Amino acid sequence: MSSSSSSSSSSSSITDKLPSAKELEQDVAVAAKKSVSSLRDFAAGGVGGIFAVVVGHPFDLVKVRLQTAEKGVYTGAMDVVRKTVAREGLMRGMYAGVSAPLVGVTPMFAVSFWGYGVGKQLVESFSTVKDGQFSVGQISAAGFFSAIPMTIITAPFERVKIILQIQGQKRLAPGEKPRYSGGVDVVRQLFKEGGIKSVYRGSVMTLARDGPGSAAYFATYEVIKRRLTPKDENGKPGKLSLTAVCAAGGAAGVAMWIPVFPVDTIKSRLQSAEGNAGIMGTVRQLYARGGLKAFFPGMGPAMARAVPANAATFLGVELAHSAMNKTFG
C-alpha cells in the first residue's frame, strides 16, 4: 500500500514539473520570434553590406595599396588615385578586386548583423536589460561576439580582395597576363600552394581586428543613434530618423578603425605576402621599415571611407528592417 502511494506521489511530482500546454505554446512562440528576428538581421545585414561596398570600395583600394606598396611607390592617397586611374581607368581601376567583396559581402555583413542579434539574445539571457535598452557594455559584448562567426567568411574574402587589389599595381609587360584571372582563380592557386591554411592566412589578425572593432562599432552606433533620435511621450525612442542613422553609422565607422588600424595593417601585409609569413615576422618587418609610423599607412583613406561607407551600411540595414516590418509585420 505504501509502495503504491509512493509511486503515485512520484508520478504526481514528475507531472507537476512538466510544462503545461500553455507554457509550451509560449516557449514555441518565443523561439519562433527569435528565429524570425535572426533571419531579418541576416537579410538586413546583407543589404547593408552591398550599400557599403558600392560606396566604400574605392577608399578601401587606396588604403590597401598604401599599406602594401614598397616605400616610395606612392606619395600619398591622391597619388594612388592618380596613378590607378591613369594606369587602369576610373571604374576598372578604383573598383579593382570588387568582385570578391561583392560576392562575399552579403554573407559577411549578414553574418555580422546576425551575430550581433544573437549576441544581444545571449546578453539578455545572462543579464538584465531594462525596457529593451541595452547598456553600452551589453552592446559591446554583443558586438564582440558578432566578429567570431564573421571571421570565418571575412578572412578568406579579404585575402582574395587584397591579392587582387595589389595585383593591379603591377605594370605588365607587352603580352604579359596577370597572375590571377579573378577571385576563384586566387582561391584555386592559394589552395594548391598551401591548402586551406593558405586560403585562411590572417584569420587570427582578422579576429584581433574585428572583435574590439565590432564592439566599438555597434556601441558607438547605438549610443549616437539614441541621442539623435527624438523621444516619444513615454521617453522611449520615437520615429526612426534617417539623418540620425547616417550620422551614427559614420561615427561608428570612425570609432571602429581608430583602435584597430595597426592590426589591420599587419593583417594586410600578412595576407599579401609571398611564402609563409608569420605575425611576429610581419610586425618586425613593418617596424624596421619605418617605426610606429609604418603601422598607419592609408589611415586617411580609411577614415575618409569610414564615414560614407558605414553611413550607407546602417542606412541599408535600417531601410531593410523597415521594409520587412511593413511587409511582414
Side-chain angles (χ1 to χ4, degrees):
M1 183 74 178
S2 61
S3 174
S4 173
S5 174
S6 173
S7 174
S8 174
S9 171
S10 175
S11 299
S12 176
S13 65
I14 292 171
T15 305
D16 288 342
K17 289 178 182 178
L18 290 173
S20 66
K22 189 174 182 181
E23 287 173 331
L24 281 171
E25 191 176 321
Q26 288 175 341
D27 288 344
V28 169
V30 169
K33 188 176 179 182
K34 286 183 177 180
S35 297
V36 170
S37 176
S38 293
L39 284 172
R40 289 188 179 186
D41 287 335
F42 188 85
V47 173
I50 292 169
F51 275 48
V53 170
V54 171
V55 173
H57 188 79
F59 295 95
D60 186 62
L61 178 134
V62 172
K63 173 185 74 72
V64 168
R65 289 190 174 180
L66 281 172
Q67 286 177 327
T68 57
E70 292 303 316
K71 198 172 182 179
V73 173
Y74 300 114
T75 58
M78 289 311 298
D79 190 42
V80 176
V81 174
R82 280 193 297 270
K83 288 179 178 176
T84 297
V85 172
R87 185 168 56 237
E88 304 162 60
L90 180 61
M91 291 302 294
R92 187 181 173 191
M94 297 310 295
Y95 280 90
V98 75
S99 58
L102 267 181
V103 171
V105 79
T106 302
M108 188 172 76
F109 275 81
V111 167
S112 174
F113 280 85
W114 167 81
Y116 177 54
V118 172
K120 287 201 290 187
Q121 290 175 18
L122 288 171
V123 165
E124 208 166 5
S125 64
F126 287 105
S127 60
T128 304
V129 178
K130 295 179 181 178
D131 298 324
Q133 296 288 295
F134 290 81
S135 69
V136 174
Q138 290 172 326
I139 293 167
S140 298
F144 191 98
F145 176 84
S146 73
I148 298 171
M150 187 175 73
T151 298
I152 298 169
I153 297 170
T154 305
F157 272 105
E158 289 207 355
R159 175 121 156 92
V160 172
K161 180 198 71 175
I162 286 169
I163 287 171
L164 289 174
Q165 284 179 331
I166 64 172
Q167 175 176 262
Q169 296 179 106
K170 185 182 177 184
R171 192 177 294 278
L172 299 175
E176 184 185 1
K177 290 185 178 180
R179 180 177 177 182
Y180 303 104
S181 60
V184 174
D185 189 43
V186 174
V187 174
R188 184 181 62 78
Q189 291 195 43
L190 289 176
F191 190 82
K192 188 177 179 181
E193 290 165 11
I196 197 70
K197 188 178 178 181
S198 178
V199 177
Y200 271 85
R201 184 198 288 174
S203 296
V204 171
M205 296 309 294
T206 301
L207 183 58
R209 177 197 68 180
D210 290 346
S214 294
Y217 185 62
F218 286 108
T220 301
Y221 175 72
E222 294 289 356
V223 168
I224 293 180
K225 189 183 81 167
R226 280 179 200 171
R227 289 184 178 177
L228 294 179
T229 300
K231 303 286 190 295
D232 62 17
E233 60 274 9
N234 299 315
K236 293 183 179 180
K239 190 177 179 183
L240 182 69
S241 164
L242 294 184
T243 304
V245 168
C246 290
V254 173
M256 175 185 72
W257 276 115
I258 289 173
V260 299
F261 195 86
V263 180
D264 183 64
T265 300
I266 297 165
K267 181 196 74 70
S268 292
R269 296 289 297 189
L270 192 64
Q271 291 184 318
S272 65
E274 298 283 347
N276 297 314
I279 294 171
M280 290 313 298
T282 303
V283 171
R284 284 193 292 269
Q285 187 185 53
L286 275 167
Y287 190 79
R289 283 182 65 196
L292 291 175
K293 191 178 178 182
F295 292 88
F296 292 89
M299 190 162 186
M303 292 296 103
R305 172 190 180 275
V307 176
N310 289 288
T313 299
F314 280 103
L315 181 63
V317 168
E318 297 287 7
L319 287 176
H321 270 302
S322 180
M324 285 187 283
N325 290 337
K326 285 180 182 177
T327 305
F328 306 110

